Amino acid sequence: KRSGGPREVLRRSFASRAKSLLETGDSKQLLALAEDRIRATPGDAYAHWYHAQAAHRLGDVAAAVESIQRVGALQPEWRETYVEPFMRALGAELAKPQASPPSVENGPSRPH
C-alpha cells in the first residue's frame, strides 16, 4: 500500500521512462510509449501530456493539440500551468513559418 499499489507503480514506471525519452529527444519512442499507455489507460493525463510533447516534436500539431486538450479535460487544474502555455506556444509557432518547438520541457511533476 505504501507504494500506492500496482497502478501507481506502473504509472511511475511509465512517467520515468517517458521523461527519459523526452529528455534524450527520442520523440518516436516517446510517441509509441505514450500511445501504448493511452490504449491501456485512456484516462492517464500523463500519457496524453507526453503524447502531446512527442507529437509536437514530430511535427504533428493536430495530434499535439488533441492530446493537450485531453489533458485539460482529464486534469482541469493543469490547464493554467501546463495546457494553456502549451496551446499559446503552438499558436505562436503556427503564426510563424519555420518556428522552433516551444520549450515546455518539464511537465506535471506530481499526480493530482
Side-chain angles (χ1 to χ4, degrees), residues 28-89:
K28 288 182 183 180
Q29 278 293 118
L30 178 57
L31 188 70
L33 180 69
E35 287 173 347
D36 287 346
R37 178 71 180 174
I38 289 167
R39 276 191 292 279
T41 314
D44 185 346
Y46 289 93
H48 291 279
W49 189 85
Y50 281 110
H51 187 271
Q53 293 293 319
H56 174 259
R57 289 175 181 214
L58 292 169
D60 189 348
V61 175
V65 167
E66 183 178 332
S67 289
I68 202 68
Q69 287 175 336
R70 183 77 177 131
V71 170
L74 291 169
Q75 294 292 136
E77 63 274 15
W78 292 2
R79 286 182 189 151
E80 186 176 330
T81 306
Y82 302 107
V83 175
E84 291 170 8
F86 189 85
M87 293 295 291
R88 281 193 301 273

Side-chain angles (χ1 to χ4, degrees), residues 92-101:
E93 180 180 328
L94 292 173
K96 296 179 187 176
Q98 311 260 344
S100 61

Side-chain angles (χ1 to χ4, degrees), residues 18-27 30 49-50 53 56-57 82 86 101-109:
K19 182 178 180 186
S20 176
L21 291 169
L22 182 67
E23 289 172 350
T24 61
D26 194 344
S27 300
L30 178 57
W49 189 85
Y50 281 110
Q53 293 293 319
H56 174 259
R57 289 175 181 214
Y82 302 107
F86 189 85
S103 178
V104 192
E105 294 296 320
N106 296 318
S109 58

Side-chain angles (χ1 to χ4, degrees), residues 1-15 37 44 46 109-112:
K1 292 277 181 187
R2 191 175 266 223
S3 68
R7 288 183 140 196
E8 181 61 15
V9 170
L10 287 174
R11 190 204 60 78
R12 286 183 187 165
S13 174
F14 162 76
R37 178 71 180 174
D44 185 346
Y46 289 93
S109 58
R110 63 181 196 277
H112 294 280

